[in-house]
Amino acid sequence: MASLDQKSPNVLLQSLCCRITGKSEAEVAHQFQYAVRVIGSNYAPTIERDEFLVSEKIKKELLRQRREADAALFSELHRKLQTQGVLKHRWSVLYLLLSLSEDPRKPSSRVGNYGALFAQALPRDAHATPFYCTRPQSLALSYGERSAGLSGSVGTSGISSLGVYTLNGPTPTPQSLLAGQPPQSAAAGAQSLGSRLAWALPISSSPSAVMAPPTTRPPLGPQVPTTRPVRPRRDGDAAGEISEPALVRDILYVFQGIDGKFIKMNAQENSYKIDSKVALCKSLRDTSSRLAELGWLHNKVRKYTDARTLDRAFGLVGQSFCASLHQELKEYYRLLSVLHSQVEDEQGVNMCTESSLTLRRLLVWMYDPKVRLKTLAALVDYCQGRKGGELASAVHAYGKTGDPQMRALVQHILSLVSHPILNFLYRWIYDGELEDTYHEFFVASDPNVKTDRLWHDKYSLRKSMIPSFITMDQARKVLLIGKSINFLHQVCHDRTPPGKITPASKPADTPKDAAELLSDLEGAFQEKIDAAYFDTSKYLLDVLNRNYLLLEHLQAMRRYLLLGQGDFIRHLMDLLKPELARPATTLYQHNLTGILETAVRATNAQFDNAEILKRLDVRLLEVSPGDTGWDVFSLDYHVDGPIATVFTRECMGHYLRVFNFLWRAKRMEYTLTDIWKGQMCNAKLLKTMPELSGVLHQCHILASEMVHFIHQMQYYITFEVLECSWDELWNKVQQAQDLDHIIAAHDVFLDTIISRCLLDNNSRSLLNQLRAIFDQIIEFQNAQDSLYRSALEELTLRLQFEEKKQKREDEGDWGVTAEQEAEEKRRIQEFQDTIPKMRSQLRILTHFYQSIVQQFLVLLMTSSDESLRFLSFRLDFNEHYRAREPRLRASLGATRGRRLSNI
């Protein structure tokens, strides 16, 4: 155990301190504490760790001293050392040798360097922003050799891991490393290792020692003992005021968030406060408080980065934001390291000149770093609770300032923050891949959505995650590009590589590329998005039209479900009439399907594509009590695969509703045609029955009213609704740039015909009135059929009676007997007695029909749709209904008055 303890780092370090100073273990307590603090210091070296550079400096120093043989020997030894793996930190050993070779007792160069330091113009702070920077590279903040290394170190910028910084205060600085008797001095030509290292360590920090001129430094030889030892005043003594150099050292610790000896963090007030027991003048206290604000700002930024760096749920964008803050803090630490090096140098030479680092100079030097830290702290506050694209939007919004330095700083942070977003974007638009584990990208994917709903539901925009530097139109195009690629692969089963659809441009591989792209959002970035959008969308539409006949299916919907194929629809009605006149419960779908195939083969529909005809089918709706085949029959069109994306279930439901409406209107036209044919065929037959002339005239008038109404309605539906809407749809489809344009145009087409065919919720009252009119037409057909049936039966009986009478007269007998003639007259009288009942029935039917039409016209006149108001003018072109309905007169008059006033 003893051997292990003797080899521990603490024991070895204490032994080294004893050997260097030549004192006992009890006497080197302060030196040992200071050595521990140096070894555990947070400060990074102020020169670059370049072994070659240090070896070259050593050889140059040997050559400068005209020791060429030693330089050659050193070069050979260094080469052999490099070939062996004994030492892991060769640079540290070489740098120690170089430092020990320097003579710290040459104050001329060092004091001159300090004078040059403050004689120059005020430099900007060291920072990571590559857009504008005046780094203190050329300032002589240390020895000449150290300046060369420092320029390479501070001049670099990049995200690197930062060391772990302790939050506790540092080990107190020893009062003096040379307070006791120094070791015996060596010969005049050679200085011992202990003396040279002791010169590099800080000496007494008492005010008298600090303010003493260089000539008052104690000699290296043994001191002459005095009768009464003088106790130097320490920094923390209450007997005197704290020296300004002591405050400067404290402030440097506060800058990195570490409590100093006199300045500590007050948790209650959340600020750094100077110990109230310390005697300090008001000016130094105020200046120190102003400088301590940097420590508070540093703690705020550092607390945010420490909390978020380990949070994986913060995402790649958040980690990039933390990395940018780390990068800025790293440059801030480098500046502190430079300042700390200067303070240590001043303390080592134990002098105070006009160029010494004071609080006032420090206040001026730290002005720009304070502004930058304020910007970072405000940015941290503004970005609290944000992630992904929302975080990028916050950073972008904060860069809208008139201060060019602050704007450049925020732009640099934005280039780092937006780098992951741009990588997400390029993978999405060029490969269709979405690897957004932490939901940072503005395109969202729902893995639970099935393939048939991929286009509509699987991918969507997270509007809160759209960065403010990307417009909504650009975001929509980005969504469509990746969605089109996935639709081609998963739904269309197209195996074309994405690289052949649209050539991939150079991605934002580095934050510098991202910064260049962000600086030209309306140029290069927009061109990339547009190129990928047009290429991908065009290829998708070509595949749908070439392989899946999208446009042919759209025309098939118009021809069959919207009754555009006139010869087919008419022939189908003729074939279905016997079947559909039966009760709905007696119909069989296979019988109707056979009739449908017959109608297809007998008309021009047979020349359609077989892919379309095999999708055409018959569908029977839900049966209600009392329904006939006309009420439940419907055509159907089966859709699947990619075309189901355009013709969704909702769309097919709309087509079904429109077909039922058009089918019923077409049936009314078909029914009125049968009514007119019956009237024309029976007009001559019933001329021999003059008692029916009034009833037949009434039938003709009512039938003419109905024919006029149905013709006008058919004209309105066919031309003003279907043809106009179809023409608009077809033009939009031909000009469509992507599938969404076709879907949107198709949805507008269906919504238009649903609305103008009175099938929407706003036209429910109009539709009810129209259906009542259709029902009256069916009632009139039944009434007229009953009238003609009775009249024809009576006519047949009369003709039979006359035929028997003529036959008996030809045989030479009496034509009729008195009893037969009386029976004939009685029967005729009974028929004539039913005519008033028929007339009253027709009168009631006519009155009811006209009242419904009048109510329908009133609703049309109050409609917001101008085409429906024009329809009312055509339906009542001769003002027949206006004369019967006072409300209609007021509506028509008011509307026509408005029209005239508009003209």
Side-chain angles (χ1 to χ4, degrees), residues 175 203-213 216 231-237 239-246 249 350-352:
Q175 180 181 356
I203 58 177
S204 174
S205 57
S206 64
S208 60
V210 172
M211 300 303 296
T216 62
R231 177 178 175 269
R233 188 173 58 195
R234 300 184 182 220
D235 293 334
D237 288 345
E241 193 175 280
I242 305 173
S243 66
E244 188 171 355
R249 288 196 300 274
N350 193 20
M351 64 181 63
C352 181

Side-chain angles (χ1 to χ4, degrees), residues 602-620:
T603 60
N604 287 331
Q606 63 182 313
F607 302 111
D608 273 344
N609 193 315
E611 177 68 20
I612 293 174
L613 293 179
K614 76 177 184 180
R615 297 176 180 269
L616 193 61
D617 198 3
V618 170
R619 180 176 183 177
L620 294 178

Side-chain angles (χ1 to χ4, degrees), residues 794-809:
E794 179 63 23
L795 180 61
T796 302
L797 292 175
R798 291 185 184 185
L799 291 177
Q800 289 177 356
F801 179 77
E802 291 296 331
E803 185 179 354
K804 289 180 181 179
K805 181 180 177 181
Q806 185 65 35
K807 184 177 181 182
R808 289 177 66 88
E809 288 178 354

Side-chain angles (χ1 to χ4, degrees), residues 137-158:
Q137 299 172 354
S138 59
L139 301 181
L141 297 183
S142 182
Y143 308 131
E145 292 82 7
R146 187 178 300 178
S147 300
L150 177 64
S151 63
S153 173
V154 179
T156 58
S157 176

